[in-house]
Amino acid sequence: PLLARPEPAVGACDPAMPTVISTSMTLDPGTYCGLELTSGANVTLRDGVFVIKDNPLIVRDGAQLHGASAGFFFTGADATFTFETGSTISLSAPADGPMAGLLMFTSRSQDPSLKYKILSDDARVMVGTIYVPQGELMIDASNPIADQSAYTAIVADKMRLYGGPHL
């Protein structure tokens, strides 16, 4: 259903952009060559499009990721996302622009063997559409996912719900 939606523009990776974060900070939209939030990280996203290129977005146990109007676009060899069990995720998609309504958008040219994982027990706000036209969306959590969201839509080639999730 989103086939006609154009993919966002992708720039070159900016070497000044962080790749590993372990403190509190605010990030600007742009192209990141992977991003890892480790325990103790509390990251707030400014409004806009965050391109994750060639490497994964990983929110580790104990890290927090917040964004009120931010969309992620994943492109390149290993551009996936993993929200680990002890992470906190609170994200809402942009209302306008190239990612309007899209929270997560994976490139249509992504390798179909890639896996995108929501394992967080605290991913209660995920407002927008998760679009995974290639690959597999895996959801496995003990607590409800996106239950405090006005809506969460999923358009995925493959989706697996494991033993515990309540989506």
Side-chain angles (χ1 to χ4, degrees), residues 104-147:
M104 307 283 178
F105 182 171
T106 67
S107 174
R108 294 177 188 95
S109 63
Q110 291 292 85
D111 183 333
S113 69
L114 292 176
K115 296 185 180 356
Y116 306 87
K117 302 173 186 175
I118 301 173
L119 311 174
S120 174
D121 284 331
D122 192 5
R124 305 194 66 195
V125 176
M126 295 185 73
V127 178
T129 299
I130 299 170
Y131 180 40
V132 181
Q134 296 283 340
E136 181 177 346
L137 177 62
M138 302 169 68
I139 300 174
D140 189 7
S142 299
N143 293 332
I145 302 291
D147 67 320

mmCIF file of all heavy atoms in Angstrom, residues 104-147:
data_model
loop_
_atom_site.group_PDB
_atom_site.id
_atom_site.type_symbol
_atom_site.label_atom_id
_atom_site.label_comp_id
_atom_site.label_asym_id
_atom_site.label_seq_id
_atom_site.Cartn_x
_atom_site.Cartn_y
_atom_site.Cartn_z
ATOM 1 N N MET A 104 9.000 4.347 10.968
ATOM 2 C CA MET A 104 10.131 3.551 10.479
ATOM 3 C C MET A 104 9.853 3.189 9.029
ATOM 4 O O MET A 104 8.774 2.694 8.719
ATOM 5 C CB MET A 104 10.293 2.253 11.276
ATOM 6 C CG MET A 104 10.379 2.420 12.759
ATOM 7 S SD MET A 104 11.991 2.980 13.226
ATOM 8 C CE MET A 104 11.777 3.132 14.981
ATOM 9 N N PHE A 105 10.833 3.414 8.173
ATOM 10 C CA PHE A 105 10.679 3.142 6.739
ATOM 11 C C PHE A 105 11.983 2.495 6.309
ATOM 12 O O PHE A 105 13.039 3.102 6.390
ATOM 13 C CB PHE A 105 10.439 4.476 6.030
ATOM 14 C CG PHE A 105 10.200 4.439 4.528
ATOM 15 C CD1 PHE A 105 9.789 5.606 3.897
ATOM 16 C CD2 PHE A 105 10.384 3.314 3.754
ATOM 17 C CE1 PHE A 105 9.559 5.641 2.526
ATOM 18 C CE2 PHE A 105 10.154 3.326 2.385
ATOM 19 C CZ PHE A 105 9.747 4.499 1.769
ATOM 20 N N THR A 106 11.917 1.238 5.873
ATOM 21 C CA THR A 106 13.128 0.567 5.401
ATOM 22 C C THR A 106 13.116 0.583 3.874
ATOM 23 O O THR A 106 12.075 0.416 3.245
ATOM 24 C CB THR A 106 13.224 -0.876 5.921
ATOM 25 O OG1 THR A 106 12.204 -1.671 5.358
ATOM 26 C CG2 THR A 106 13.122 -0.908 7.442
ATOM 27 N N SER A 107 14.277 0.810 3.304
ATOM 28 C CA SER A 107 14.388 0.911 1.856
ATOM 29 C C SER A 107 13.850 -0.347 1.180
ATOM 30 O O SER A 107 14.030 -1.462 1.672
ATOM 31 C CB SER A 107 15.856 1.128 1.467
ATOM 32 O OG SER A 107 15.990 1.090 0.068
ATOM 33 N N ARG A 108 13.234 -0.135 0.054
ATOM 34 C CA ARG A 108 12.707 -1.269 -0.712
ATOM 35 C C ARG A 108 13.821 -2.132 -1.290
ATOM 36 O O ARG A 108 13.585 -3.253 -1.720
ATOM 37 C CB ARG A 108 11.797 -0.754 -1.823
ATOM 38 C CG ARG A 108 10.539 -0.102 -1.278
ATOM 39 C CD ARG A 108 9.673 0.485 -2.382
ATOM 40 N NE ARG A 108 8.593 1.253 -1.809
ATOM 41 C CZ ARG A 108 8.631 2.562 -1.610
ATOM 42 N NH1 ARG A 108 9.693 3.262 -1.966
ATOM 43 N NH2 ARG A 108 7.604 3.183 -1.068
ATOM 44 N N SER A 109 15.046 -1.609 -1.315
ATOM 45 C CA SER A 109 16.177 -2.376 -1.851
ATOM 46 C C SER A 109 16.955 -3.101 -0.755
ATOM 47 O O SER A 109 17.981 -3.704 -1.030
ATOM 48 C CB SER A 109 17.114 -1.450 -2.634
ATOM 49 O OG SER A 109 17.663 -0.464 -1.782
ATOM 50 N N GLN A 110 16.452 -3.072 0.480
ATOM 51 C CA GLN A 110 17.132 -3.772 1.571
ATOM 52 C C GLN A 110 17.139 -5.277 1.318
ATOM 53 O O GLN A 110 16.218 -5.823 0.704
ATOM 54 C CB GLN A 110 16.448 -3.496 2.917
ATOM 55 C CG GLN A 110 16.590 -2.080 3.429
ATOM 56 C CD GLN A 110 18.000 -1.736 3.819
ATOM 57 O OE1 GLN A 110 18.798 -1.345 2.972
ATOM 58 N NE2 GLN A 110 18.318 -1.871 5.066
ATOM 59 N N ASP A 111 18.161 -5.932 1.849
ATOM 60 C CA ASP A 111 18.286 -7.383 1.765
ATOM 61 C C ASP A 111 17.092 -8.020 2.485
ATOM 62 O O ASP A 111 16.816 -7.691 3.640
ATOM 63 C CB ASP A 111 19.600 -7.801 2.429
ATOM 64 C CG ASP A 111 19.879 -9.288 2.336
ATOM 65 O OD1 ASP A 111 18.937 -10.099 2.245
ATOM 66 O OD2 ASP A 111 21.069 -9.641 2.365
ATOM 67 N N PRO A 112 16.366 -8.921 1.836
ATOM 68 C CA PRO A 112 15.187 -9.524 2.467
ATOM 69 C C PRO A 112 15.510 -10.413 3.668
ATOM 70 O O PRO A 112 14.612 -10.813 4.402
ATOM 71 C CB PRO A 112 14.521 -10.319 1.352
ATOM 72 C CG PRO A 112 15.497 -10.398 0.250
ATOM 73 C CD PRO A 112 16.518 -9.324 0.443
ATOM 74 N N SER A 113 16.788 -10.720 3.911
ATOM 75 C CA SER A 113 17.138 -11.544 5.072
ATOM 76 C C SER A 113 17.348 -10.711 6.342
ATOM 77 O O SER A 113 17.533 -11.275 7.419
ATOM 78 C CB SER A 113 18.399 -12.361 4.780
ATOM 79 O OG SER A 113 19.526 -11.510 4.697
ATOM 80 N N LEU A 114 17.286 -9.386 6.237
ATOM 81 C CA LEU A 114 17.500 -8.536 7.410
ATOM 82 C C LEU A 114 16.337 -8.638 8.389
ATOM 83 O O LEU A 114 15.190 -8.840 7.995
ATOM 84 C CB LEU A 114 17.698 -7.079 6.992
ATOM 85 C CG LEU A 114 18.980 -6.776 6.223
ATOM 86 C CD1 LEU A 114 19.013 -5.313 5.790
ATOM 87 C CD2 LEU A 114 20.214 -7.108 7.050
ATOM 88 N N LYS A 115 16.673 -8.477 9.686
ATOM 89 C CA LYS A 115 15.671 -8.552 10.743
ATOM 90 C C LYS A 115 15.649 -7.241 11.515
ATOM 91 O O LYS A 115 16.674 -6.680 11.858
ATOM 92 C CB LYS A 115 15.983 -9.719 11.674
ATOM 93 C CG LYS A 115 15.897 -11.051 10.944
ATOM 94 C CD LYS A 115 16.077 -12.220 11.861
ATOM 95 C CE LYS A 115 15.991 -13.569 11.203
ATOM 96 N NZ LYS A 115 15.679 -13.686 9.843
ATOM 97 N N TYR A 116 14.439 -6.768 11.808
ATOM 98 C CA TYR A 116 14.189 -5.534 12.540
ATOM 99 C C TYR A 116 13.462 -5.947 13.815
ATOM 100 O O TYR A 116 12.426 -6.614 13.740
ATOM 101 C CB TYR A 116 13.338 -4.587 11.692
ATOM 102 C CG TYR A 116 13.962 -4.348 10.329
ATOM 103 C CD1 TYR A 116 13.707 -5.209 9.265
ATOM 104 C CD2 TYR A 116 14.842 -3.298 10.129
ATOM 105 C CE1 TYR A 116 14.308 -5.013 8.025
ATOM 106 C CE2 TYR A 116 15.440 -3.090 8.897
ATOM 107 C CZ TYR A 116 15.167 -3.960 7.850
ATOM 108 O OH TYR A 116 15.769 -3.763 6.636
ATOM 109 N N LYS A 117 14.005 -5.560 14.999
ATOM 110 C CA LYS A 117 13.533 -6.149 16.246
ATOM 111 C C LYS A 117 13.027 -5.114 17.249
ATOM 112 O O LYS A 117 13.731 -4.161 17.569
ATOM 113 C CB LYS A 117 14.667 -6.938 16.898
ATOM 114 C CG LYS A 117 15.216 -8.038 16.019
ATOM 115 C CD LYS A 117 16.434 -8.675 16.646
ATOM 116 C CE LYS A 117 17.073 -9.670 15.694
ATOM 117 N NZ LYS A 117 18.320 -10.200 16.246
ATOM 118 N N ILE A 118 11.826 -5.355 17.747
ATOM 119 C CA ILE A 118 11.282 -4.611 18.865
ATOM 120 C C ILE A 118 11.166 -5.608 20.016
ATOM 121 O O ILE A 118 10.273 -6.460 20.027
ATOM 122 C CB ILE A 118 9.915 -3.986 18.532
ATOM 123 C CG1 ILE A 118 10.041 -3.033 17.342
ATOM 124 C CG2 ILE A 118 9.354 -3.270 19.761
ATOM 125 C CD1 ILE A 118 8.723 -2.498 16.832
ATOM 126 N N LEU A 119 12.089 -5.511 20.957
ATOM 127 C CA LEU A 119 12.147 -6.422 22.097
ATOM 128 C C LEU A 119 11.879 -5.684 23.403
ATOM 129 O O LEU A 119 11.815 -6.298 24.462
ATOM 130 C CB LEU A 119 13.530 -7.094 22.158
ATOM 131 C CG LEU A 119 14.031 -7.703 20.846
ATOM 132 C CD1 LEU A 119 15.466 -8.194 20.993
ATOM 133 C CD2 LEU A 119 13.119 -8.823 20.385
ATOM 134 N N SER A 120 11.748 -4.369 23.331
ATOM 135 C CA SER A 120 11.620 -3.519 24.506
ATOM 136 C C SER A 120 10.352 -3.797 25.296
ATOM 137 O O SER A 120 9.273 -3.943 24.727
ATOM 138 C CB SER A 120 11.629 -2.047 24.086
ATOM 139 O OG SER A 120 11.367 -1.221 25.194
ATOM 140 N N ASP A 121 10.505 -3.823 26.626
ATOM 141 C CA ASP A 121 9.352 -3.938 27.508
ATOM 142 C C ASP A 121 8.775 -2.562 27.835
ATOM 143 O O ASP A 121 7.826 -2.459 28.613
ATOM 144 C CB ASP A 121 9.744 -4.657 28.805
ATOM 145 C CG ASP A 121 9.885 -6.154 28.599
ATOM 146 O OD1 ASP A 121 9.196 -6.702 27.715
ATOM 147 O OD2 ASP A 121 10.677 -6.782 29.321
ATOM 148 N N ASP A 122 9.366 -1.508 27.257
ATOM 149 C CA ASP A 122 8.863 -0.150 27.472
ATOM 150 C C ASP A 122 8.873 0.617 26.145
ATOM 151 O O ASP A 122 9.547 1.627 25.996
ATOM 152 C CB ASP A 122 9.703 0.579 28.530
ATOM 153 C CG ASP A 122 9.060 1.875 28.989
ATOM 154 O OD1 ASP A 122 7.914 2.173 28.567
ATOM 155 O OD2 ASP A 122 9.702 2.604 29.771
ATOM 156 N N ALA A 123 8.116 0.101 25.179
ATOM 157 C CA ALA A 123 7.927 0.762 23.880
ATOM 158 C C ALA A 123 6.428 1.023 23.743
ATOM 159 O O ALA A 123 5.775 0.520 22.839
ATOM 160 C CB ALA A 123 8.452 -0.099 22.747
ATOM 161 N N ARG A 124 5.900 1.821 24.647
ATOM 162 C CA ARG A 124 4.458 1.993 24.755
ATOM 163 C C ARG A 124 3.925 3.089 23.847
ATOM 164 O O ARG A 124 2.748 3.116 23.537
ATOM 165 C CB ARG A 124 4.098 2.227 26.201
ATOM 166 C CG ARG A 124 4.679 1.047 27.021
ATOM 167 C CD ARG A 124 4.191 0.892 28.372
ATOM 168 N NE ARG A 124 2.791 0.556 28.379
ATOM 169 C CZ ARG A 124 2.064 0.644 29.478
ATOM 170 N NH1 ARG A 124 2.598 1.037 30.600
ATOM 171 N NH2 ARG A 124 0.788 0.341 29.442
ATOM 172 N N VAL A 125 4.819 4.005 23.413
ATOM 173 C CA VAL A 125 4.407 5.064 22.496
ATOM 174 C C VAL A 125 5.196 4.903 21.202
ATOM 175 O O VAL A 125 6.408 5.111 21.171
ATOM 176 C CB VAL A 125 4.637 6.465 23.103
ATOM 177 C CG1 VAL A 125 4.285 7.547 22.089
ATOM 178 C CG2 VAL A 125 3.839 6.642 24.383
ATOM 179 N N MET A 126 4.509 4.496 20.173
ATOM 180 C CA MET A 126 5.083 4.355 18.831
ATOM 181 C C MET A 126 3.985 4.763 17.850
ATOM 182 O O MET A 126 3.283 3.921 17.302
ATOM 183 C CB MET A 126 5.572 2.928 18.578
ATOM 184 C CG MET A 126 6.726 2.528 19.474
ATOM 185 S SD MET A 126 7.403 0.905 19.084
ATOM 186 C CE MET A 126 8.249 1.288 17.572
ATOM 187 N N VAL A 127 3.840 6.071 17.668
ATOM 188 C CA VAL A 127 2.754 6.617 16.852
ATOM 189 C C VAL A 127 3.232 6.756 15.418
ATOM 190 O O VAL A 127 4.205 7.461 15.151
ATOM 191 C CB VAL A 127 2.291 7.986 17.393
ATOM 192 C CG1 VAL A 127 1.193 8.560 16.513
ATOM 193 C CG2 VAL A 127 1.825 7.870 18.831
ATOM 194 N N GLY A 128 2.570 6.081 14.505
ATOM 195 C CA GLY A 128 2.917 6.157 13.092
ATOM 196 C C GLY A 128 2.919 4.785 12.456
ATOM 197 O O GLY A 128 2.494 3.797 13.054
ATOM 198 N N THR A 129 3.423 4.747 11.241
ATOM 199 C CA THR A 129 3.469 3.505 10.472
ATOM 200 C C THR A 129 4.881 2.954 10.452
ATOM 201 O O THR A 129 5.839 3.686 10.211
ATOM 202 C CB THR A 129 2.986 3.754 9.024
ATOM 203 O OG1 THR A 129 1.632 4.217 9.080
ATOM 204 C CG2 THR A 129 3.059 2.496 8.180
ATOM 205 N N ILE A 130 4.985 1.669 10.699
ATOM 206 C CA ILE A 130 6.243 0.947 10.572
ATOM 207 C C ILE A 130 6.162 0.210 9.240
ATOM 208 O O ILE A 130 5.321 -0.673 9.074
ATOM 209 C CB ILE A 130 6.456 -0.024 11.746
ATOM 210 C CG1 ILE A 130 6.497 0.762 13.065
ATOM 211 C CG2 ILE A 130 7.720 -0.847 11.539
ATOM 212 C CD1 ILE A 130 6.471 -0.115 14.306
ATOM 213 N N TYR A 131 7.014 0.616 8.309
ATOM 214 C CA TYR A 131 6.962 0.078 6.941
ATOM 215 C C TYR A 131 8.239 -0.700 6.657
ATOM 216 O O TYR A 131 9.323 -0.133 6.572
ATOM 217 C CB TYR A 131 6.791 1.237 5.957
ATOM 218 C CG TYR A 131 6.722 0.857 4.489
ATOM 219 C CD1 TYR A 131 6.018 -0.261 4.055
ATOM 220 C CD2 TYR A 131 7.341 1.646 3.530
ATOM 221 C CE1 TYR A 131 5.935 -0.587 2.713
ATOM 222 C CE2 TYR A 131 7.273 1.329 2.177
ATOM 223 C CZ TYR A 131 6.569 0.212 1.775
ATOM 224 O OH TYR A 131 6.493 -0.110 0.432
ATOM 225 N N VAL A 132 8.102 -2.025 6.551
ATOM 226 C CA VAL A 132 9.223 -2.931 6.300
ATOM 227 C C VAL A 132 8.883 -3.773 5.062
ATOM 228 O O VAL A 132 8.405 -4.894 5.173
ATOM 229 C CB VAL A 132 9.502 -3.833 7.535
ATOM 230 C CG1 VAL A 132 10.691 -4.753 7.285
ATOM 231 C CG2 VAL A 132 9.729 -2.999 8.783
ATOM 232 N N PRO A 133 9.101 -3.201 3.847
ATOM 233 C CA PRO A 133 8.716 -3.917 2.638
ATOM 234 C C PRO A 133 9.611 -5.113 2.298
ATOM 235 O O PRO A 133 9.213 -5.974 1.530
ATOM 236 C CB PRO A 133 8.810 -2.841 1.548
ATOM 237 C CG PRO A 133 9.799 -1.860 2.067
ATOM 238 C CD PRO A 133 9.633 -1.871 3.556
ATOM 239 N N GLN A 134 10.811 -5.148 2.853
ATOM 240 C CA GLN A 134 11.734 -6.274 2.686
ATOM 241 C C GLN A 134 12.214 -6.666 4.081
ATOM 242 O O GLN A 134 12.420 -5.819 4.927
ATOM 243 C CB GLN A 134 12.961 -5.878 1.848
ATOM 244 C CG GLN A 134 12.672 -5.493 0.439
ATOM 245 C CD GLN A 134 12.400 -6.712 -0.435
ATOM 246 O OE1 GLN A 134 12.762 -7.834 -0.119
ATOM 247 N NE2 GLN A 134 11.738 -6.484 -1.536
ATOM 248 N N GLY A 135 12.425 -7.937 4.320
ATOM 249 C CA GLY A 135 12.935 -8.371 5.612
ATOM 250 C C GLY A 135 11.823 -8.782 6.545
ATOM 251 O O GLY A 135 10.675 -8.985 6.148
ATOM 252 N N GLU A 136 12.189 -8.879 7.835
ATOM 253 C CA GLU A 136 11.263 -9.421 8.829
ATOM 254 C C GLU A 136 11.228 -8.522 10.059
ATOM 255 O O GLU A 136 12.263 -8.173 10.617
ATOM 256 C CB GLU A 136 11.734 -10.819 9.226
ATOM 257 C CG GLU A 136 10.873 -11.511 10.222
ATOM 258 C CD GLU A 136 11.350 -12.928 10.521
ATOM 259 O OE1 GLU A 136 12.181 -13.469 9.783
ATOM 260 O OE2 GLU A 136 10.871 -13.478 11.528
ATOM 261 N N LEU A 137 10.026 -8.160 10.477
ATOM 262 C CA LEU A 137 9.825 -7.420 11.710
ATOM 263 C C LEU A 137 9.544 -8.436 12.809
ATOM 264 O O LEU A 137 8.606 -9.225 12.701
ATOM 265 C CB LEU A 137 8.657 -6.438 11.568
ATOM 266 C CG LEU A 137 8.297 -5.645 12.821
ATOM 267 C CD1 LEU A 137 9.455 -4.754 13.263
ATOM 268 C CD2 LEU A 137 7.042 -4.822 12.572
ATOM 269 N N MET A 138 10.385 -8.424 13.857
ATOM 270 C CA MET A 138 10.249 -9.366 14.964
ATOM 271 C C MET A 138 9.848 -8.582 16.213
ATOM 272 O O MET A 138 10.501 -7.597 16.555
ATOM 273 C CB MET A 138 11.574 -10.087 15.204
ATOM 274 C CG MET A 138 12.067 -10.842 13.983
ATOM 275 S SD MET A 138 13.770 -11.424 14.146
ATOM 276 C CE MET A 138 13.577 -12.640 15.410
ATOM 277 N N ILE A 139 8.781 -9.030 16.877
ATOM 278 C CA ILE A 139 8.319 -8.365 18.087
ATOM 279 C C ILE A 139 8.228 -9.407 19.194
ATOM 280 O O ILE A 139 7.533 -10.410 19.060
ATOM 281 C CB ILE A 139 6.958 -7.681 17.866
ATOM 282 C CG1 ILE A 139 7.081 -6.636 16.742
ATOM 283 C CG2 ILE A 139 6.473 -7.029 19.157
ATOM 284 C CD1 ILE A 139 5.789 -6.000 16.321
ATOM 285 N N ASP A 140 8.967 -9.152 20.283
ATOM 286 C CA ASP A 140 8.978 -10.070 21.414
ATOM 287 C C ASP A 140 9.210 -9.258 22.677
ATOM 288 O O ASP A 140 10.313 -8.779 22.919
ATOM 289 C CB ASP A 140 10.077 -11.120 21.246
ATOM 290 C CG ASP A 140 9.996 -12.219 22.293
ATOM 291 O OD1 ASP A 140 9.017 -12.251 23.065
ATOM 292 O OD2 ASP A 140 10.916 -13.054 22.346
ATOM 293 N N ALA A 141 8.182 -9.052 23.452
ATOM 294 C CA ALA A 141 8.284 -8.283 24.688
ATOM 295 C C ALA A 141 7.313 -8.851 25.709
ATOM 296 O O ALA A 141 6.316 -9.485 25.357
ATOM 297 C CB ALA A 141 7.966 -6.822 24.421
ATOM 298 N N SER A 142 7.603 -8.612 26.983
ATOM 299 C CA SER A 142 6.728 -9.087 28.051
ATOM 300 C C SER A 142 5.569 -8.132 28.305
ATOM 301 O O SER A 142 4.516 -8.548 28.769
ATOM 302 C CB SER A 142 7.528 -9.262 29.346
ATOM 303 O OG SER A 142 8.547 -10.204 29.155
ATOM 304 N N ASN A 143 5.789 -6.853 28.024
ATOM 305 C CA ASN A 143 4.761 -5.834 28.249
ATOM 306 C C ASN A 143 4.140 -5.412 26.927
ATOM 307 O O ASN A 143 4.706 -5.652 25.859
ATOM 308 C CB ASN A 143 5.372 -4.628 28.959
ATOM 309 C CG ASN A 143 5.819 -4.957 30.363
ATOM 310 O OD1 ASN A 143 5.271 -5.840 31.019
ATOM 311 N ND2 ASN A 143 6.823 -4.249 30.844
ATOM 312 N N PRO A 144 2.985 -4.737 26.970
ATOM 313 C CA PRO A 144 2.345 -4.283 25.734
ATOM 314 C C PRO A 144 3.233 -3.336 24.923
ATOM 315 O O PRO A 144 4.004 -2.567 25.485
ATOM 316 C CB PRO A 144 1.097 -3.550 26.233
ATOM 317 C CG PRO A 144 0.830 -4.122 27.584
ATOM 318 C CD PRO A 144 2.172 -4.434 28.160
ATOM 319 N N ILE A 145 3.103 -3.421 23.629
ATOM 320 C CA ILE A 145 3.820 -2.559 22.690
ATOM 321 C C ILE A 145 2.809 -1.574 22.104
ATOM 322 O O ILE A 145 1.739 -1.982 21.649
ATOM 323 C CB ILE A 145 4.446 -3.386 21.531
ATOM 324 C CG1 ILE A 145 5.392 -4.450 22.066
ATOM 325 C CG2 ILE A 145 5.116 -2.490 20.509
ATOM 326 C CD1 ILE A 145 6.643 -3.924 22.680
ATOM 327 N N ALA A 146 3.146 -0.292 22.108
ATOM 328 C CA ALA A 146 2.363 0.772 21.464
ATOM 329 C C ALA A 146 0.954 0.923 22.039
ATOM 330 O O ALA A 146 0.081 1.461 21.380
ATOM 331 C CB ALA A 146 2.317 0.565 19.960
ATOM 332 N N ASP A 147 0.738 0.486 23.263
ATOM 333 C CA ASP A 147 -0.607 0.564 23.838
ATOM 334 C C ASP A 147 -1.006 1.975 24.257
ATOM 335 O O ASP A 147 -2.175 2.236 24.514
ATOM 336 C CB ASP A 147 -0.756 -0.407 25.007
ATOM 337 C CG ASP A 147 0.105 -0.044 26.202
ATOM 338 O OD1 ASP A 147 1.263 0.379 25.993
ATOM 339 O OD2 ASP A 147 -0.368 -0.182 27.345
#
